[in-house]
Amino acid sequence: MGRPILFVNACVREASRTGRLAEKLLKKLNKPFEEIRLDKIRFPVVDESFLGMRDRLISEGSFDSPMFDLARQFSEAETIVIAAPYWDLSFPAALKQYFEQVNVVGITFRYTEEGIPVGLCKADRIFYVSTAGGTYAPSEFGFGYVKALAQGYYGIGDVRLIEAVGLDIYGNDVDAILEAAEETIEGMDLE
């Protein structure tokens, strides 16, 4: 069967517009996927004792620890789909907590002797799916962050943004905006 698609779902609303676009993309990809619902994860507090334990396990090469389950899953995925609505100038806080668990030296990246990160992830691409109520959504605060991690640390060069914006502006046709984004997904070349 090969490696699965990893669907990182940072949507919390049942009728999420971002979730709607992500579902359309997953259908277009037409492969099995594993979903991680970030609103269902109780992330550990990243404090001094957590960091000490993580550093000790990394130095021992104990990458099979359950502490690294999310990092291993991320590193092994064939394709990664991240669904994250644009909230408060970024994305939901749970996505940042998720990346704190995924960013593990020795699993998702390593450093050269000169301190340059080298990606260890097997994914060939990441799709970042987002929606915003307004039209001013600086991509560097959400998509740009994920793209920088993917290309600079994980070794995933193909990072694509799928978005629909202006959904909460009075008078805008929300359905038409979402349908246009869905048409863009349908027309995407996924090869």
Side-chain angles (χ1 to χ4, degrees):
M1 179 171 88
R3 295 183 327 271
I5 292 172
L6 179 61
F7 176 32
V8 180
N9 188 347
C11 303
V12 298
R13 291 189 171 108
E14 187 150 331
S16 169
R17 301 175 297 198
T18 303
R20 173 178 162 177
L21 295 181
E23 287 173 19
K24 180 73 171 182
L25 175 61
L26 289 165
K27 192 175 286 187
K28 169 81 175 175
L29 291 168
N30 195 29
K31 291 185 177 179
F33 64 89
E34 293 178 32
E35 180 178 9
I36 299 174
R37 291 212 34 129
L38 299 185
D39 63 337
K40 304 296 183 202
I41 296 176
R42 292 187 54 87
F43 291 102
V45 174
V46 178
D47 58 12
E48 190 168 354
S49 81
F50 173 89
L51 292 174
M53 182 186 332
R54 184 173 75 171
D55 291 347
R56 182 180 54 76
L57 291 170
I58 290 171
S59 70
E60 293 170 356
S62 299
F63 296 117
D64 58 343
S65 167
M67 176 181 270
F68 302 131
D69 286 351
L70 292 173
R72 285 193 314 276
Q73 181 185 42
F74 188 92
S75 181
E76 291 296 320
E78 170 187 298
T79 298
I80 299 164
V81 174
I82 299 172
Y86 185 78
W87 284 4
D88 300 322
L89 302 177
S90 186
F91 42 67
L95 185 56
K96 176 64 169 88
Q97 291 176 295
Y98 174 76
F99 283 121
E100 287 179 346
Q101 302 304 310
V102 165
N103 297 337
V104 179
V105 176
I107 297 178
T108 53
F109 67 98
R110 67 174 179 81
Y111 287 110
T112 66
E113 289 182 16
E114 296 80 25
I116 299 168
V118 176
L120 299 176
C121 293
K122 295 181 173 84
D124 53 0
R125 61 190 158 193
I126 290 180
F127 293 94
Y128 185 83
V129 182
S130 191
T131 57
T135 56
Y136 182 71
S139 66
E140 63 271 13
F141 297 160
F143 171 68
Y145 176 82
V146 173
K147 184 176 181 180
L149 281 176
Q151 293 177 339
Y153 283 84
Y154 305 147
I156 305 169
D158 187 357
V159 186
R160 302 181 194 187
L161 173 63
I162 298 168
E163 67 179 346
V165 299
L167 298 173
D168 295 335
I169 295 175
Y170 181 76
N172 278 1
D173 186 339
V174 174
D175 287 328
I177 294 169
L178 289 170
E179 287 167 11
E182 289 174 330
E183 287 174 19
T184 298
I185 292 168
E186 197 54 46
M188 290 176 73
D189 179 14
L190 299 176
E191 298 307 315

